[in-house]
DNA sequence: TATATTTGTTAGACTTACCTAACAAATTAA
DNA sequence: TTAATTTGTTAGGTAAGTCTAACAAATATA
């Protein structure tokens, strides 16, 4: 069997990854708009426009003029590979090289583009086939299968419920440092004590202490809740 | 103290590395020509010409029209950093990820451009501060100090002398596989038994067996020889 | 030393990924 | 349902890194 390996640039890989993250991954929708992608990638809409045409040519995205865009099966496959590499590298940096969870993202952004199947498979083996990265995000396996956690954000959690922290939405260093400071971390048990109408703060119990968190913070904390059992949106 | 970090592209880093390898490192001379660099980098002389002007602008190379080029102090510093990264990655792949010595080079070519001081320092620590890579090449330390072995090639070795293999000049996979096949490897003891005028083959003893090797091969094998004690050229 | 060869340079062109500015289509609001 | 706003597109421009083709300088050879 002859397999054609189409070589993609770092940039092209990043567009596919962004599109994946804006659609399949965290969001509920199937498509993303040009401006939305531009904001996510930190470039101008005109640039995204050019790239969408190019990626459509290569049959990696579905795109029609003035329409929303989405990944093709092949495009999704590549996006998942990049995400797998990113998260394995993050795990490596955290587990083996003494990086803290707020430091891993930036370096993994570079490492995720290294081309070598053997490298990634061996890294996976060295780390003992981890299922999630330091931020709690699931790591796709070598077949491209991705465990989808039935998680929602802390902001959506009901008063009185107890849940467990499973990850974060925002991977920026300042946010992660703040999370650390508050004593929050993946696997911690969180109980929602109250929601204050007056200033929208959410009062929670964690580590046996009561703290108040902003809705902005709560929206970036993922949790699972057995009490909830609300049907997952994916 | 304010330090200005000038960000270089992968390409610029590769030019500095090539220039280092063609001058300071293996060769005896201090300068390299445009065509020579072009051949080493696999690009056309015209391209090198443009880049030399650009790197001169940035004070990383010394270059005058129609003259040979060399690295400035700052350029050499950067080249050594890239080489350090390359060789640490090669060692990592070989030691931790089960790569063979003919597989490490290609992947290290990509990894050497990742920007993160912490990454490299931690990698160095994880590997326990190695002094040479799987090909026997010395790894510069964090201060940019590079151990220079007083080595020469097997082709230069005198008949009757016994030496020890310390490295290879050619890092290509076919060459390295061939070296493996012949039973040659770093640290092996080699005795030069004879040189045959007729076909230039060199007869050596290694692993207790007599084999004949071509001058081409011998030119790509580094050895040290106590009997020789010939003054090193660097 | 004159000529041939090698080595290095210049000019102009291409591609990728980005930009700005002007415009067009689609959506939202009045 | 028209007008305002948002969203998306086009055209044209820039910088990096590459190329080819023509030329110039330096070096080697006769």
């Amino acid at each position: 069997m002859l397999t054609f390996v189409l070589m993609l640039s770092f940039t092209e890989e990043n567009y596919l990854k962004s599109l994946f993250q804006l659609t399949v991954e965290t969001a509920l929708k199937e498509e993303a708009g040009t401006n939305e992608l531009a904001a996510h990638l930190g470039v101008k809409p005109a640039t995204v426009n050019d790239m969408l045409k190019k990626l459509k040519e290569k049959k990696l995205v579905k795109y029609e003029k003035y329409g929303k865009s989405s990944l093709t099966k092949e495009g999704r496959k590549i996006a998942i590979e990049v995400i797998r590499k990113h998260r394995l590298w993050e795990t490596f940096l955290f587990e083996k090289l003494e990086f803290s969870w707020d430091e891993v993202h930036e370096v993994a952004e570079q490492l995720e583009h290294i081309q070598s199947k053997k490298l990634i498979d061996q890294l996976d083996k060295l780390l003992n086939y981890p299922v999630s990265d330091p931020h709690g995000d699931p790591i796709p396996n070598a077949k491209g299968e991705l465990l989808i956690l039935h998680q929602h954000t802390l902001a959506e959690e009901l008063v009185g419920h107890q849940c467990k922290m499973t990850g974060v939405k925002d991977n920026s260093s300042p946010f992660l440092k703040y999370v650390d400071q508050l004593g929050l971390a993946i696997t911690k048990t969180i109980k929602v004590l109250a929601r204050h109408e007056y200033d929208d703060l959410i009062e929670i119990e964690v580590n046996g202490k009561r703290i108040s968190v902003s809705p902005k913070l709560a929206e970036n904390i993922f949790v699972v809740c057995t009490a909830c059992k609300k049907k997952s949106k994916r």
Side-chain angles (χ1 to χ4, degrees), chain A:
Chain A
M1 188 187 71
L2 236 166
T3 315
F4 287 91
V5 179
L6 80 154
M7 263 297 270
L8 298 184
S9 65
F10 286 20
T11 313
E12 290 169 315
E13 289 191 345
N14 283 335
Y15 277 81
L16 296 178
K17 189 178 61 154
S18 272
L19 195 42
F20 185 86
Q21 289 172 340
L22 287 175
T23 59
V24 202
E25 183 134 276
T26 41
L28 324 145
K29 56 196 161 146
E30 281 298 308
E31 305 172 308
T34 305
N35 285 4
E36 203 183 344
L37 263 166
H40 195 254
L41 286 157
V43 298
K44 298 294 173 197
T47 310
V48 173
N49 199 271
D50 287 348
M51 187 56 90
L52 285 174
K53 287 178 191 163
K54 189 173 153 196
L55 292 173
K56 185 193 173 169
E57 253 332 280
K58 297 193 178 183
K59 299 206 164 52
L60 299 172
V61 307
K62 288 172 226 159
Y63 162 73
E64 293 305 331
K65 221 170 159 177
Y66 292 107
K68 305 272 176 185
S69 308
S70 62
L71 291 167
T72 62
K73 202 175 162 188
E74 181 61 17
R76 188 164 51 247
K77 194 184 134 218
I78 294 170
I80 288 174
E81 278 167 12
V82 176
I83 287 168
R84 169 171 156 78
K85 289 195 275 182
H86 182 99
R87 293 182 182 165
L88 280 175
W89 279 117
E90 285 197 342
T91 307
F92 170 73
L93 296 173
F94 187 79
E95 299 280 327
K96 304 287 180 187
L97 299 190
E98 304 174 30
F99 275 62
S100 56
W101 78 331
D102 64 288
E103 293 174 319
V104 298
H105 184 75
E106 189 191 332
V107 183
E109 282 292 299
Q110 300 179 61
L111 288 162
E112 72 188 7
H113 301 293
I114 305 292
Q115 302 297 152
S116 167
K117 193 179 162 354
K118 180 164 186 173
L119 174 62
I120 292 309
D121 292 346
Q122 287 296 130
L123 202 60
D124 199 13
K125 186 178 170 188
L126 180 76
L127 298 168
N128 209 10
Y129 310 102
V131 296
S132 63
D133 73 14
H135 306 117
D137 295 315
I139 300 176
N141 67 18
K143 289 180 203 149
E145 294 160 349
L146 184 66
L147 184 85
I148 302 286
L149 277 182
H150 289 209
Q151 62 187 8
H152 51 272
T153 70
L154 178 57
E156 299 168 275
E157 189 56 271
L158 303 175
V159 173
H161 279 194
Q162 186 165 289
C163 55
K164 196 188 267 189
M165 178 165 161
T166 50
V168 290
K169 195 183 259 181
D170 182 351
N171 281 327
S172 75
S173 183
F175 172 71
L176 297 174
K177 280 190 172 138
Y178 184 37
V179 171
D180 275 340
Q181 243 176 59
L182 292 170
L184 288 166
I186 289 167
T187 74
K188 290 269 179 181
T189 296
I190 300 171
K191 186 165 182 185
V192 179
L193 301 172
R195 289 169 171 278
H196 299 288
E197 288 291 312
Y198 178 67
D199 55 7
D200 292 325
L201 290 195
I202 303 166
E203 204 173 331
I204 61 172
E205 186 183 307
V206 67
N207 303 317
K209 281 185 292 188
R210 300 170 82 95
I211 56 170
S212 289
V213 298
S214 66
K216 183 174 173 188
L217 182 121
E219 277 159 25
N220 284 295
I221 303 278
F222 284 124
V223 296
V224 285
C225 177
T226 39
C228 271
K229 287 274 188 200
K230 61 202 291 191
K231 54 194 169 302
S232 167
K233 281 129 176 181
R234 344 177 217 168

